[in-house]
């Protein structure tokens, strides 16, 4: 039997990169997937690809920073699709201004990154809490190496703070929702080749080299490298796993 048969899975930021790969992977394993993205067109295209391959998918426009919209979309999904049993909080952004850079840029980074990466995770999780509790559901949050460390390659402190927050939120919810049978875990990707970092990879190969030199597997990851951990954490394969983070970083954090 497919791993996610009879599940309805919502994935935020699933028009691109890691979220898109997870949506395709979940659909291949039998889930009915619901793609949410501020980029409505990208989510609709991914949805079409899943349907063309014989999978079940719907898409809705959603900006995860807008709490009322999150509540409204959760209601629409309950009415139109059904009871959500898997939530992947994946929508996220990164910028590379150091804290000592231009003050306005630093402030804007802090506000935007926190609004999407951390508050967005709160907004969406809160909006889907009722169906997740009713279904003894699973929540998978996308953390990072920066849930633990600030990487040596230049990066913004806001991103590091947001991803530490995502891991803390994961642990807190795991502790609180365990009694309801809801499991809450995170994935910690390393450098994954997606549009998020395309311009850095194109313009700053030295930076990529620093990263890869620190990665035991000696390569950057692909979005598909995150699909296995995401399937594991959403399926019964991880039935006794909660409050954990699965690192999918080529070993970066171990050395
Ligand atoms: N790529 C990496 O190296 C890497 C490493 C560690 C963690 N991550 C995390 O993985 C997640 C996905 O990143 P990615 O690399 O696939 O990036 P990506 O840019 O390819 O995809 C991110 C998606 O999120 C959507 N999005 C952005 N703001 C949104 C909002 N306000 N509301 C709804 N959707 C929004 C975008 O439209 C896009 O489709 C992020 O949380 C990121 O922090 C990425």
């Amino acid at each position: 039997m497919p791993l996610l048969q009879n599940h309805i899975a919502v994935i935020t930021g699933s028009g691109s990169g890691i979220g898109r790969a997870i949506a395709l992977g979940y659909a291949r394993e039998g889930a009915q997937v619901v793609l949410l993205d501020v980029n409505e067109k990208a989510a609709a295209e991914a949805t079409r690809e899943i349907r063309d391959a014989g999978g079940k998918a719907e898409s809705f426009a959603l900006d995860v920073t807008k709490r009322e919209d999150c509540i409204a979309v959760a209601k629409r999904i309950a009415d139109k699709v059904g009871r959500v049993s898997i939530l992947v909080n994946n929508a996220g952004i990164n910028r590379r201004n150091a804290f000592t850079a231009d003050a306005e840029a630093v402030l804007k980074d802090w506000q935007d990154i926190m609004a999407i990466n951390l508050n967005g995770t709160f907004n969406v999780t809160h909006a889907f809490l009722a169906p997740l509790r009713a279904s003894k559901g699973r929540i998978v949050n996308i953390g990072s190496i920066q849930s633990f460390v600030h990487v040596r390659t230049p990066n913004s402190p806001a991103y590091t703070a947001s991803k530490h927050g995502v891991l803390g939120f994961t642990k807190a919810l795991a502790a609180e929702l365990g009694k309801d049978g809801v499991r809450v875990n995170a994935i910690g990707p390393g450098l994954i080749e997606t549009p998020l970092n395309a311009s850095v990879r194109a313009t700053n190969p030295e930076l990529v080299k620093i990263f890869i030199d620190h990665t035991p597997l000696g390569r950057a990851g692909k979005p598909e490298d995150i699909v296995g951990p995401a399937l594991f954490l959403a399926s019964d394969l991880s039935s006794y796993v909660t409050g954990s983070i699965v690192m999918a970083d080529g070993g970066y954090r171990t050395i």
Side-chain angles (χ1 to χ4, degrees), residues 8-12 32-37 58-62 69-87 124 127-128 131:
I8 297 178
V10 165
I11 304 111
T12 67
Q32 180 164 11
V33 291
V34 182
L35 292 87
L36 304 179
D37 205 296
E58 301 281 340
S59 69
F60 298 86
L62 179 70
D69 292 1
C70 293
I71 294 165
V73 90
K75 184 168 181 345
R76 280 183 72 198
I77 290 167
D79 293 344
K80 190 176 171 195
V81 186
R83 190 174 72 180
V84 170
S85 53
I86 297 167
L87 168 64
V124 178
F128 286 97

Side-chain angles (χ1 to χ4, degrees), residues 24 80 95 121 170 213 223 233 246 255:
L24 267 67
K80 190 176 171 195
R95 299 205 193 108
T121 297
T170 301
D213 285 349
L233 292 175
V246 175
I255 60 170

Side-chain angles (χ1 to χ4, degrees), residues 118-140:
L118 192 52
N119 295 349
T121 297
F122 167 87
N123 290 339
V124 178
T125 305
H126 213 207
F128 286 97
L129 188 60
L132 287 167
R133 290 178 82 191
S135 62
K136 299 189 190 303
R138 298 98 205 252
I139 301 172
V140 180

Side-chain angles (χ1 to χ4, degrees), residues 16 18 37-38 62-64 90 142-143 159 163 190 192 194-195 197:
S16 174
I18 291 170
D37 205 296
V38 71
L62 179 70
D63 179 343
V64 298
N90 164 80
I142 305 300
Y159 188 79
K163 292 298 182 180
I192 309 295
T194 72
N197 46 40

Side-chain angles (χ1 to χ4, degrees), residues 100-190:
T100 46
D102 171 72
E104 264 182 48
V106 170
L107 177 62
K108 185 162 169 38
D109 283 0
W110 183 270
Q111 289 171 336
D112 292 350
I113 289 172
M114 286 299 175
I116 298 174
N117 296 9
L118 192 52
N119 295 349
T121 297
F122 167 87
N123 290 339
V124 178
T125 305
H126 213 207
F128 286 97
L129 188 60
L132 287 167
R133 290 178 82 191
S135 62
K136 299 189 190 303
R138 298 98 205 252
I139 301 172
V140 180
N141 296 323
I142 305 300
S144 167
I145 290 166
Q146 288 171 246
S147 293
F148 298 94
V149 293
H150 186 67
V151 293
R152 292 177 300 166
T153 51
N155 220 315
S156 88
Y159 188 79
T160 296
S162 75
K163 292 298 182 180
H164 272 64
V166 165
L167 182 56
F169 184 62
T170 301
K171 292 175 184 173
L173 283 200
E176 187 175 339
L177 299 180
K179 64 178 181 326
D180 296 332
V182 179
R183 295 189 296 102
V184 190
N185 291 288
I187 298 173

